[in-house]
Amino acid sequence: METPLQTTISNKLLSLLPPDDFERISGKLEHVLLPRGTSIGKSGQPIDYLYFLTSGIGSIVVETPEGHRAEAGMFGFDGYVPTSAVADVELHAHDVSIQVDAEAYRMSFADFRHAMETNRSFSRVVIRAMEAFSIQLSYTLASNAIHDATERLARWLLMCHDRVPGDEIALTHEYLAVMLAVRRPSVTTSLHLLEGSGFIKSERGKVIVRNRPGLQEFARDAYGRPEEEYRRLMKDLF
Amino acid sequence: METPLQTTISNKLLSLLPPDDFERISGKLEHVLLPRGTSIGKSGQPIDYLYFLTSGIGSIVVETPEGHRAEAGMFGFDGYVPTSAVADVELHAHDVSIQVDAEAYRMSFADFRHAMETNRSFSRVVIRAMEAFSIQLSYTLASNAIHDATERLARWLLMCHDRVPGDEIALTHEYLAVMLAVRRPSVTTSLHLLEGSGFIKSERGKVIVRNRPGLQEFARDAYGRPEEEYRRLMKDLF
DNA sequence: TCGTTCCCGTACGTTAGCGAACGGAGATAA
DNA sequence: TTATCTCCGTTCGCTAACGTACGGGAACGA
C-alpha cells in the first residue's frame, strides 16, 4: 500500500488542507529541485508557476527604479510564492530567487487560478498565507526603520534558522549585505559582534548558529511577533 | 429622480464595482465621519467594521513589543481597512487611525464576509486592493532601508498629497516623526531643506505643497513605483 | 490679559554607518 | 605548484542621524 502523498509533503500550507481537498489538487503538483541561485521570477515578468517549498529558503527582493535593492521577505516550507497570484495578477511584482538549496512542489498559474475558484479550502489557506506574509513585510519595514544593523542581522539569521534543518546556514557577507541593505563591511563587523557573544560562529561562506536563545534575546524587539502571528493565522483554519 | 448612490461615492474600490454588484452591497454601507485622531482599530482587538474612505487619510502603524512605532502604510479613497479581513481573520493586526479628517462608508465584519463569499466582483476588487497595499508595504520597507530622512519625508508628503484635495496638509512635526520613525528635530531640518528648495511651505501645524514636480524629482527613487502598480492593478479588473 | 500648553527652532556631543580602498587568506583549476 | 578568483578583515575620513535639552513664539482657555 502506498503512503498518501500528503503525509510526505512537508509544505505547511499543503499539509493544512483537508485530505479531500488536497486530493483534488495533488495531480497538478510537480516536484522540482531548486538549487541556490535559481530565479523563480523577475519583476514585470509573467508568473508561470506557483511554488510551495518543502525545504530550503527563497527571498523576495524589491528593486527601485535606480537599482537599489533590499530584501522584502523570506519564505520556506511555511509559505508559497508569488503571493500576487491570489489577486489574479499575471505578473511578478518583485524578484524572487532561491538562497538556500530547495525542493518544492509547483503548480501552473492556470491550475492555481482554477483551484482558487473551485477549492474553498485551498483559497482559504492561500489567502491566509498572503496575510501572514503581509505581516512579515510590515515588521521587516518597522525593523528597517528602528533597529541597527546587528539587530537586523540577528533577526535575519533567526528567520533563516527557523526554515532550515540544523544550525548551518550557507551564505556570504556580500549576500547578507544585499539582504539587509547595508555595506558588506558592516555585515562583517556585525557578525563579529554576534560571534564575540558566542551566539554564532562565522566561517568562510557560512554562519553556524551556536546559541539560539542568546541570539533571540539579543534580537529582542526585532524577532518574534510575525512568527506568533503566523502560528495564530494557521491555527483553527478549518 | 435620485442620483444613483454609486456615482456619488468617491471610494475608488467601490466605484470600480459593476453597478449590479454594487447594488447588492450598497444597503450594507453606512456613511460615517471620522475626525482626525479617530482610532479605527487596535492590534489584537476584534474587527467591527471595514472602512472605505471617500476622503481624508488614515494610517496603519506597527508597534513592536518594546513600544517602538513606525508607520507601515497609508490609505485614503484608494483603499480600505483593515486588509486582514480578507483572510477571514477577526482581529486587527495593527493599529489603524485617522490622520486627516475623513469620511467613509463602513460595513460590518459579518456583512463584509458575506459579500466576500457571495459577490465575486466585490471579492475580486478587495483582494486586488490587498495586493496593492502589500506592494506599498514592500516599497516603504525598501525606502526605510535605502533612503535618508529627507527623501522619505518627500515621499510621504507626496503620498499624502495624492490623497487630499488642495495643497495643504495639516500635521505636526511630532506626528511626522512617528510616521517616518525619526527624531522630531530631524523632521524640522528636513522640512527646512525642502522649504529651502521651494518645494513646500512649512507652517505651524501644517505643510503646504508649493511645487509638486520639484518634490517628485527630489524624491526620485523613493516615489512612484507603488503608485504605478496601483494603477495597473485597478485597470482592466472586469 | 495672563498663564499655560502646544509646537517649532536650534544647539551639542556622540555614534552608526557610509563609500572607497587595500591586503590577505581560502578555495579552485591548470 | 602556481596562478586566479572569491571572500573576508580592516582602515580612513566623512556624514546622517541620534539623544537630550533649552528657549521662544503661537494658540488657547481662564
Side-chain angles (χ1 to χ4, degrees):
Chain A
M1 174 165 173
E2 274 188 30
T3 316
L5 181 57
Q6 191 175 16
T7 66
T8 70
I9 291 191
S10 56
N11 177 276
K12 178 77 176 170
L13 305 180
L14 296 179
S15 76
L16 280 172
L17 288 173
D20 288 356
D21 292 309
F22 176 76
E23 209 53 46
R24 292 166 61 204
I25 59 155
S26 60
K28 311 295 187 183
L29 295 173
E30 175 194 0
H31 186 252
V32 287
L33 295 177
L34 305 170
R36 183 180 182 180
T38 306
S39 169
I40 284 185
K42 292 241 165 253
S43 173
Q45 294 301 109
I47 299 173
D48 297 324
Y49 294 98
L50 280 291
Y51 292 83
F52 296 82
L53 265 58
T54 55
S55 69
I57 300 178
S59 77
I60 289 144
V61 172
V62 194
E63 183 160 0
T64 67
E66 296 184 5
H68 293 116
R69 293 164 63 84
E71 188 191 49
M74 168 190 300
F75 62 95
F77 69 93
D78 57 316
Y80 79 101
V81 277
T83 52
S84 35
V86 276
D88 198 14
V89 178
E90 302 90 346
L91 304 179
H92 285 277
H94 302 298
D95 295 353
V96 183
S97 62
I98 296 297
Q99 58 181 251
V100 171
D101 289 349
E103 295 187 40
Y105 285 90
R106 74 178 185 188
M107 188 184 228
S108 73
F109 183 78
D111 287 338
F112 178 82
R113 288 307 310 169
H114 183 258
M116 287 291 293
E117 299 293 336
T118 59
N119 190 328
R120 270 292 165 74
S121 305
F122 184 76
S123 69
R124 191 171 167 80
V125 168
V126 160
I127 292 179
R128 282 267 169 138
M130 190 196 188
E131 167 69 7
F133 187 71
S134 168
I135 291 180
Q136 190 195 122
L137 281 181
S138 65
Y139 279 91
T140 305
L141 179 156
S143 203
N144 283 351
I146 291 167
H147 301 115
D148 65 28
T150 315
E151 289 172 312
R152 269 156 55 211
L153 173 59
R155 170 178 199 262
W156 199 90
L157 291 174
L158 286 165
M159 289 174 67
C160 266
H161 192 239
D162 287 338
R163 291 168 174 84
V164 295
D167 293 329
E168 211 172 299
I169 309 165
L171 33 82
T172 66
H173 296 193
E174 184 67 46
Y175 190 82
L176 275 168
V178 175
M179 294 300 103
L180 302 173
V182 295
R183 284 175 323 140
R184 203 262 309 151
S186 298
V187 172
T188 307
T189 31
S190 288
L191 279 172
H192 288 182
L193 221 152
L194 295 178
E195 190 164 18
S197 305
F199 303 145
I200 60 162
K201 185 147 183 5
S202 169
E203 291 180 12
R204 186 188 169 89
K206 65 180 165 189
V207 174
I208 303 155
V209 177
R210 282 250 181 275
N211 175 2
R212 187 185 158 98
L215 199 54
Q216 215 160 326
E217 197 184 347
F218 178 89
R220 303 181 61 88
D221 217 12
Y223 177 82
R225 287 282 290 120
E227 288 71 18
E228 272 175 36
E229 288 293 318
Y230 181 87
R231 284 188 290 272
R232 191 169 66 77
L233 286 171
M234 295 306 164
K235 210 178 53 184
D236 310 323
L237 247 173
F238 298 107
Chain B
M1 174 164 171
E2 274 189 31
T3 316
L5 183 57
Q6 192 176 16
T7 66
T8 69
I9 291 190
S10 56
N11 178 274
K12 178 76 176 171
L13 305 179
L14 297 178
S15 76
L16 280 172
L17 288 174
D20 288 358
D21 293 310
F22 177 75
E23 207 55 44
R24 293 166 59 203
I25 59 156
S26 60
K28 311 294 187 183
L29 296 172
E30 174 193 1
H31 186 252
V32 286
L33 295 178
L34 306 169
R36 182 179 183 179
T38 307
S39 169
I40 284 184
K42 291 241 164 255
S43 174
Q45 295 300 109
I47 299 174
D48 297 324
Y49 294 98
L50 280 291
Y51 292 81
F52 295 83
L53 264 59
T54 55
S55 70
I57 300 177
S59 77
I60 290 144
V61 172
V62 194
E63 182 160 1
T64 67
E66 296 184 5
H68 293 117
R69 293 164 62 84
E71 187 191 49
M74 167 191 300
F75 62 95
F77 69 94
D78 57 316
Y80 78 102
V81 280
T83 52
S84 36
V86 276
D88 198 14
V89 178
E90 302 90 345
L91 304 180
H92 285 276
H94 302 297
D95 295 353
V96 183
S97 62
I98 296 297
Q99 58 180 250
V100 171
D101 289 349
E103 295 187 39
Y105 284 90
R106 74 177 185 188
M107 187 184 228
S108 74
F109 184 77
D111 287 338
F112 178 82
R113 287 308 310 168
H114 183 258
M116 285 292 292
E117 299 292 338
T118 59
N119 189 330
R120 270 294 165 72
S121 304
F122 183 76
S123 69
R124 192 170 167 80
V125 167
V126 161
I127 292 178
R128 282 266 169 138
M130 189 196 188
E131 167 68 9
F133 187 71
S134 167
I135 291 180
Q136 189 195 124
L137 281 181
S138 64
Y139 278 92
T140 305
L141 179 157
S143 205
N144 283 351
I146 290 167
H147 301 115
D148 65 28
T150 315
E151 289 172 311
R152 269 157 55 213
L153 173 60
R155 171 177 198 263
W156 199 90
L157 291 174
L158 285 164
M159 289 175 66
C160 267
H161 192 238
D162 286 339
R163 291 169 173 84
V164 295
D167 293 329
E168 211 172 298
I169 309 165
L171 34 82
T172 66
H173 295 195
E174 184 66 46
Y175 191 81
L176 274 168
V178 176
M179 294 300 103
L180 302 173
V182 296
R183 285 176 322 141
R184 204 261 310 149
S186 298
V187 172
T188 308
T189 32
S190 288
L191 278 172
H192 288 181
L193 221 150
L194 295 178
E195 190 164 18
S197 305
F199 303 146
I200 60 161
K201 185 146 183 7
S202 170
E203 290 179 15
R204 185 186 168 89
K206 67 180 163 188
V207 174
I208 304 156
V209 177
R210 281 252 180 274
N211 175 4
R212 187 184 158 100
L215 199 55
Q216 216 160 327
E217 197 184 348
F218 178 90
R220 301 180 63 87
D221 218 10
Y223 177 82
R225 289 281 290 119
E227 288 72 18
E228 272 174 36
E229 289 293 319
Y230 180 87
R231 283 189 290 273
R232 190 169 67 75
L233 286 171
M234 296 306 164
K235 211 177 54 182
D236 311 324
L237 246 174
F238 298 106

